[in-house]
């Protein structure tokens, strides 16, 4: 019954070699997020989509790009990974609020990226 | 800019002891405050939010606007409460604190 799925769970890449992380959701939520979480640090928002509308955080490096081909899938592309990009990458969706429930973010298990 | 501070990286308590995980925030408006929990090898999930004023798994958190705090409390810690706890603030986007690792010892 996984709702937000991230593949792979562990990804190893080489310095400078492009890498793509995947996220899919079975919830049909309009909003999807990508967070970066480095060791012992707080998850940090990189960008989010509202449907196909892309919203980049001001301090997200240009090295990070994203694609959302449809509602279910969202990809994080790191064009030239550096050693400092090694982190856990979290995908999340947002369930909108209704008259009977508040909105809520649902997180995937994360992909741990290692850069050699 | 919005900011969330969790001063303790690690909190170790004995089973049955009271627990208080501290969270302070800085924001001039009226943000939404949350506590998220991450159990070992599991995904980050919402524990509770200030607006609902509910108790989840025995945990409560009261928003103190005067002290800009949103501490998480439980009167009697249980072994299964051992996890990483993140305080978060939302005004537009969600901003997380650095987390507190709670370890409940027997």
């Amino acid at each position: 019954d996984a709702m937000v799925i991230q593949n792979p769970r562990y990804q190893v890449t080489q310095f400078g070699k492009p890498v793509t992380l995947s996220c899919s959701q079975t919830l049909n939520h309009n909003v999807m997020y990508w967070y970066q979480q480095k060791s012992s640090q707080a998850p940090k928002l990189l960008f989010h989509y509202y449907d196909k509308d892309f919203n980049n955080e001001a301090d997200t490096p240009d090295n990070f790009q994203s694609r959302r081909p449809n509602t279910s899938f969202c990809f994080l592309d790191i064009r030239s990974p550096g050693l400092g990009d090694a982190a856990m990458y979290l995908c999340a969706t947002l369930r909108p609020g209704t008259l009977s429930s508040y909105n809520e973010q649902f997180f995937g298990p994360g992909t741990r990226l290692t850069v050699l | 800019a919005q900011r969330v501070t969790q001063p303790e990286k690690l909190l170790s308590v004995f089973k049955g002891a009271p627990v208080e995980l501290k969270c302070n925030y800085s924001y001039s408006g009226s943000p939404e405050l949350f506590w998220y929990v991450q159990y070992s090898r599991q995904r980050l999930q919402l524990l509770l939010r200030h607006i609902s004023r509910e108790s989840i798994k025995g945990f409560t958190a009261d928003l103190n606007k005067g002290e800009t705090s949103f501490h998480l409390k439980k009167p009697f810690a249980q072994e299964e409460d051992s996890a990483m706890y993140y305080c978060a603030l939302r005004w537009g986007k969600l901003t997380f604190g650095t987390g507190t690792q709670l370890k409940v010892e027997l």
Side-chain angles (χ1 to χ4, degrees):
Chain A
D1 64 339
M3 298 178 289
V4 182
I5 303 157
Q6 290 188 245
N7 285 308
R9 295 292 304 276
Y10 300 91
Q11 176 73 56
V12 180
T13 191
Q14 292 179 334
F15 182 93
K17 185 175 180 181
V19 66
T20 294
L21 308 183
S22 302
C23 177
S24 63
Q25 54 135 334
T26 59
L27 301 163
N28 205 37
H29 290 163
N30 290 335
V31 186
M32 292 186 78
Y33 304 85
W34 277 106
Y35 291 85
Q36 178 193 61
Q37 185 177 22
K38 296 187 177 180
S39 181
S40 301
Q41 295 186 24
K44 177 179 174 298
L45 183 64
L46 294 173
F47 26 61
H48 76 276
Y49 277 93
Y50 189 95
D51 289 330
K52 285 190 177 291
D53 291 335
F54 176 71
N55 298 273
N56 200 32
E57 291 299 300
D59 56 354
T60 297
D62 293 339
N63 197 26
F64 291 85
Q65 304 285 319
S66 185
R67 295 171 284 135
R68 189 178 185 188
N70 52 53
T71 300
S72 301
F73 287 88
C74 195
F75 301 100
L76 170 61
D77 300 308
I78 308 176
R79 292 193 296 191
S80 182
L83 298 179
D85 296 327
M88 178 72 87
Y89 290 88
L90 302 173
C91 176
T93 70
L94 180 69
R95 183 192 68 197
T98 66
L99 288 176
S100 57
S101 67
Y102 296 108
N103 58 34
E104 182 175 341
Q105 284 198 21
F106 290 90
F107 285 84
T111 294
R112 184 168 296 282
L113 178 68
T114 299
V115 182
L116 300 177
Chain B
Q2 55 206 51
R3 188 171 178 175
V4 179
T5 303
Q6 293 180 250
E8 301 141 329
K9 275 196 165 181
L10 173 66
L11 183 64
S12 188
V13 301
F14 286 107
K15 180 181 174 182
V19 174
E20 183 178 50
L21 301 172
K22 291 184 166 40
C23 172
N24 288 90
Y25 67 92
S26 59
Y27 189 72
S28 57
S30 296
E32 286 186 84
L33 275 299
F34 305 83
W35 276 99
Y36 281 80
V37 61
Q38 188 167 26
Y39 300 103
S40 180
R41 301 180 187 278
Q42 295 188 28
R43 62 192 67 201
L44 197 59
Q45 57 186 291
L46 179 66
L47 179 63
L48 54 79
R49 67 180 78 210
H50 89 272
I51 199 169
S52 59
R53 296 179 180 273
E54 55 193 347
S55 173
I56 304 292
K57 299 184 179 183
F59 285 98
T60 59
D62 291 320
L63 178 61
N64 186 324
K65 291 187 178 180
E67 296 181 359
T68 59
S69 67
F70 188 56
H71 304 326
L72 183 68
K73 299 178 184 178
K74 184 169 181 176
F76 307 105
Q78 298 172 323
E79 196 179 351
E80 55 266 31
D81 295 329
S82 294
M84 192 73 171
Y85 291 81
Y86 292 93
C87 183
L89 174 159
R90 181 164 69 208
W91 184 257
K93 69 177 182 180
L94 201 57
T95 299
F96 288 90
T98 50
T100 298
Q101 179 75 45
L102 175 64
K103 185 177 179 184
V104 181
E105 299 183 82
L106 298 175

